[in-house]
Amino acid sequence: MTTFLRDTTTVFSRELRPALRNPVGLLFDMGQPLLFLFLFGTLLDGAVGSSWQWFVPGILVMMCLTGPMGAGYGLLVELLGGAFERLLVTPLNRTAMLVGKCMKATLTLLAQAVLIILLALPLGFEPHAVGVPAALAQLMVFAVGLGALSFVLAVKSAPSGTLFYVVSQSVLFPLLLLSGVLLPLESAPGWLRVLGQLNPVTYVVAAQRALYAGDLADPSVLYGGIAVCVVAAVGLHLGNRAMRKGV
C-alpha cells in the first residue's frame, strides 16, 4: 500500500506540474462552457423558470464531459511520442498510473467547477449550501469514470490515434444533446425522450440540478449517484486492464 500511494503521488505530481506551470491553459479549456454560460444562459432567461438554477448544473456536467473525456489526449500524445512506453518499463505500479492520471483530471475539473459557480453567482445562480459539496462530489466520481474511459480509448487508438478523435467526437455531442443539458427534453418527441432515458448523463444532469436546488431527497439524486458509480466502476476496471496490458 505504501508503494502504491508513493507511485500514485509520483504520477499525480508528474501530470499536475505542467498545468501549474501554465494555469492559463485551464482557463482556455473553459472557453466553450463560459461561452454557453454567458450567452446561451441569458437567452434561456425566463424560458425554463429560473434559468440559472436549471442551466448552471448542466454546464458543469458539460465541462465534465469535455474535460475528463478529453484527458486521454495527453496519454495519446505520450503514446505517439514513445514517452508512455518508457514509463511502462519503470517499476511504477500500473494501477497507480491510472489513479494518478485520474486524480489530475478530477482536480482540474474541481477547480474549474468552483470557478464556474463563483462566476454564476452574480448572474442569479443561488446554489444550496449543503447541495454544493454533494453535487461536486458526485461530479468528481463521474469525472474519474470518464477520465479512465478516455485513457482506455487512447490506449486502443495507438499507434495512429484516429480512433480517439472519431469516437470522442461522435459520442460526446449525442450524450450532451440527449441529456437535456442545453434544452429540456420534456417537450421533445417521444422517441427522443426514450433515447434520453437510455443516456446515463441524463440522470447525472437531473441529480445535479436537484442537489444545487437543495432537493437532496429527490429520487433523481439516487439515480444520478447510481449512474456515476457505475460509470466510475466500469471506467476504472477497463482502465486498469488497459494500463496493465499496455500497448
Side-chain angles (χ1 to χ4, degrees), residues 193-207:
R193 292 199 301 271
V194 170
L195 291 178
Q197 292 174 356
L198 297 175
N199 180 9
V201 184
T202 302
Y203 301 97
V204 180
V205 173

Side-chain angles (χ1 to χ4, degrees), residues 84-188:
F84 187 67
E85 291 182 352
R86 292 192 292 272
L87 191 63
L88 289 177
V89 300
T90 66
L92 284 172
N93 184 282
R94 301 294 179 86
T95 304
M97 292 183 189
L98 174 67
V99 174
K101 288 178 177 292
C102 287
M103 285 176 56
K104 184 265 181 180
T106 304
L107 181 62
T108 300
L109 174 66
L110 177 60
Q112 293 174 331
V114 171
L115 181 57
I116 287 287
I117 293 173
L118 293 176
L119 291 175
L121 291 178
L123 300 176
F125 182 49
E126 299 177 355
H128 189 269
V130 178
V132 170
L136 289 176
Q138 188 181 85
L139 202 65
M140 297 306 101
V141 176
F142 195 39
V144 169
L146 292 177
L149 290 174
S150 179
F151 296 137
V152 174
L153 183 58
V155 171
K156 298 296 183 182
S157 300
S160 66
T162 304
L163 181 64
F164 181 85
Y165 301 107
V166 172
V167 174
S168 60
Q169 294 302 315
S170 62
V171 170
L172 177 62
F173 289 104
L175 287 177
L176 283 174
L177 295 176
L178 293 173
S179 64
V181 165
L182 301 178
L183 293 171
L185 292 177
E186 287 77 6
S187 58

